[in-house]
């Protein structure tokens, strides 16, 4: 890896304009990194949320497959094969749910957690030290302003000694704050590289383990089961097509009758009487 830029600790005490200018570049970089980290975390949490939702969805799917036989269909004849097949599929989905749950846990531990720790530990530390450095610098500026206002002609040795002590204490405090702040900013240049890559290593390993275990689960026996189910579905589709053809022919035959069968009333003046009846047919009976 190439060397990274860094703030020189030896220049912290002098606090020169050049050092302040370089410090502002590091601060801008830290601000950009903070914004990017928040966006990256949102994207990773979305991936984790989708995986967690997959766990809940497969769990619900398994329960719904088992609920088929409890529906008490009015026409449930021939459903035995469907029920047994759905039971097997429910078992498969349960096994898949275990893999999805394991993957969700891996993503939480190895992808989301590291980036959260980086944000809460490293970035928060830099932000806190920046505030402390700002406070120490303000106190130093105030003490220096107080020192510069001391009279030159009529010096009060006691007052001057007290002000000098304030300046020394403020400068020591600022020096310590600047050293801690510079160290944190320098370390951040290295840690940000790790923070960006470590979560993706966890993501990749989690996905690889998921697919490996999935491939092991869907063995040759599973392939033969799916093949038999596919054959059963095809045979049902063939039966359905044959039944559909038969019903189309039947429809055409039933629709080819004389239109008189749709007439609500026959002509009463010239009724077509059935003389083979042993009972008389009245007007109302004739209508029906």
């Amino acid at each position: 890896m190439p060397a990274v830029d860094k703030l020189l600790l030896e220049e912290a005490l002098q606090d020169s304009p050049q050092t302040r200018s370089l410090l502002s570049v590091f601060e801008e970089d830290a601000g950009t990194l903070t914004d990017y980290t928040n966006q990256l975390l949102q994207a990773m949490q979305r991936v984790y949320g989708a995986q967690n939702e997959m766990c809940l969805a497969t769990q619900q799917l398994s329960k719904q497959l088992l609920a088929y036989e409890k529906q008490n269909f009015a026409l449930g004849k021939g459903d035995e094969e469907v029920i047994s097949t759905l039971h097997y599929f429910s078992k498969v989905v349960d096994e898949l749910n275990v893999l999805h749950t394991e993957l969700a846990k891996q993503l939480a531990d190895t992808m989301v957690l590291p980036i959260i720790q980086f944000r809460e530990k490293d970035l928060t530390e830099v932000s806190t030290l920046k505030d402390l450095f700002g406070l120490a610098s303000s106190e130093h500026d105030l003490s220096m302003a107080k020192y510069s206002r001391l009279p030159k002609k009529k010096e009060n040795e006691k007052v001057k000694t007290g002000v000098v002590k304030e300046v020394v204490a403020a400068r020591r405090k600022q020096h310590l704050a600047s050293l801690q702040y510079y160290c944190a900013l320098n370390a951040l240049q290295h840690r940000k590289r790790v923070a960006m890559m470590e979560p993706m290593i966890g993501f990749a390993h989690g996905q690889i383990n998921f697919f490996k275990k999935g491939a092991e689960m869907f063995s040759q026996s599973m392939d033969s089961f799916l093949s038999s189910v596919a054959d059963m579905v095809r045979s049902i589709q063939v039966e359905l097509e044959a039944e559909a053809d038969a019903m189309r022919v039947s429809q055409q035959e039933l629709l080819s009758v004389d239109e008189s069968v749709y007439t609500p009333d026959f002509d009463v003046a010239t009724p077509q009487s059935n003389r083979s009846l042993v009972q008389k047919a009245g007007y109302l009976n004739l209508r029906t």
Side-chain angles (χ1 to χ4, degrees):
M1 294 290 288
V4 298
D5 296 322
K6 65 178 181 178
L7 292 162
L8 297 178
L9 302 183
E10 298 80 6
E11 298 178 356
L13 180 60
Q14 297 299 325
D15 198 23
S16 64
Q18 293 81 2
T19 304
R20 284 292 183 122
S21 177
L22 182 59
L23 175 62
S24 66
V25 175
F26 274 73
E27 289 177 336
E28 180 183 355
D29 187 81
T32 303
L33 179 60
T34 299
D35 293 338
Y36 174 78
T37 301
N38 289 331
Q39 295 171 6
L40 180 63
L41 177 58
Q42 289 178 359
M44 290 180 174
Q45 286 175 330
R46 185 175 181 183
V47 172
Y48 168 71
Q51 183 59 43
N52 202 43
E53 178 62 28
M54 191 66 173
C55 299
L56 299 175
T58 50
Q59 188 177 29
Q60 181 181 359
L61 175 60
S62 175
K63 291 180 179 179
Q64 201 61 36
L65 292 175
L66 293 177
Y68 181 85
E69 66 173 329
K70 300 177 182 178
Q71 299 308 303
N72 294 323
F73 291 107
L75 302 174
K77 184 179 180 181
D79 274 356
E80 293 77 10
E81 286 187 350
V82 175
I83 291 173
S84 62
T85 303
L86 292 183
H87 273 231
Y88 190 88
F89 273 124
S90 175
K91 180 182 177 182
V92 171
V93 173
D94 282 337
E95 294 176 356
L96 274 174
N97 178 259
V98 173
L99 297 183
H100 281 297
T101 303
E102 182 180 337
L103 176 57
K105 187 178 184 304
Q106 272 192 291
L107 293 179
D109 294 339
T110 63
M111 182 183 73
V112 178
L113 182 60
I115 202 72
I116 290 178
Q117 291 175 334
F118 171 70
R119 186 183 68 172
E120 300 301 325
K121 181 178 180 295
D122 297 286
L123 294 179
T124 301
E125 179 187 21
V126 168
S127 178
T128 301
L129 291 175
K130 179 181 180 180
D131 294 338
L132 294 176
F133 174 71
L135 290 174
S137 297
S138 298
E139 291 180 11
H140 176 260
D141 293 341
L142 290 174
S143 65
M144 286 299 297
K146 189 175 181 180
Y147 178 77
S148 64
R149 289 195 297 268
L150 288 175
K152 301 301 181 182
K153 294 182 179 180
K154 297 181 181 180
E155 292 185 350
N156 187 322
E157 209 51 47
K158 184 178 181 180
V159 173
K160 182 178 180 181
T161 302
V163 173
V164 169
K165 287 183 178 180
E166 288 183 21
V167 172
V168 171
R171 183 165 291 182
R172 182 182 292 111
K173 184 177 181 180
Q174 185 199 31
H175 189 208
L176 175 61
S178 62
L179 288 175
Q180 293 175 335
Y181 187 33
Y182 287 13
C183 287
L185 287 172
N186 287 339
L188 187 64
Q189 293 302 308
H190 294 280
R191 288 174 181 168
K192 74 176 182 181
R193 299 183 178 188
V194 176
M196 297 302 106
M197 293 185 288
E198 185 180 20
M200 293 313 301
I201 294 174
F203 171 80
H205 279 312
Q207 297 291 339
I208 291 171
N209 290 335
F210 174 80
F211 288 118
K212 279 184 177 180
K213 291 182 178 180
E216 294 172 359
M217 187 182 72
F218 288 100
S219 58
Q220 186 175 359
S221 60
M222 185 65 187
D223 291 337
S224 61
F225 168 73
L226 292 176
S227 178
S228 65
V229 173
D231 291 340
M232 181 177 68
V233 170
R234 280 192 292 269
S235 66
I236 294 174
Q237 289 176 335
V238 170
E239 292 178 8
L240 174 60
E241 291 174 0
E243 184 70 19
D245 291 339
M247 286 189 290
R248 279 193 292 269
V249 172
S250 179
Q251 285 181 34
Q252 292 175 355
E253 292 176 352
L254 293 172
L255 291 174
S256 63
V257 298
D258 190 88
E259 289 189 1
S260 62
V261 299
Y262 302 116
T263 304
D265 287 324
F266 291 105
D267 188 357
V268 181
T270 57
Q272 297 179 357
S273 301
N274 187 350
R275 299 183 181 279
S276 63
L277 295 175
V278 296
Q279 293 180 344
K280 294 182 178 180
Y283 171 71
L284 294 177
N285 288 333
L286 184 60
R287 284 177 59 85
T288 58

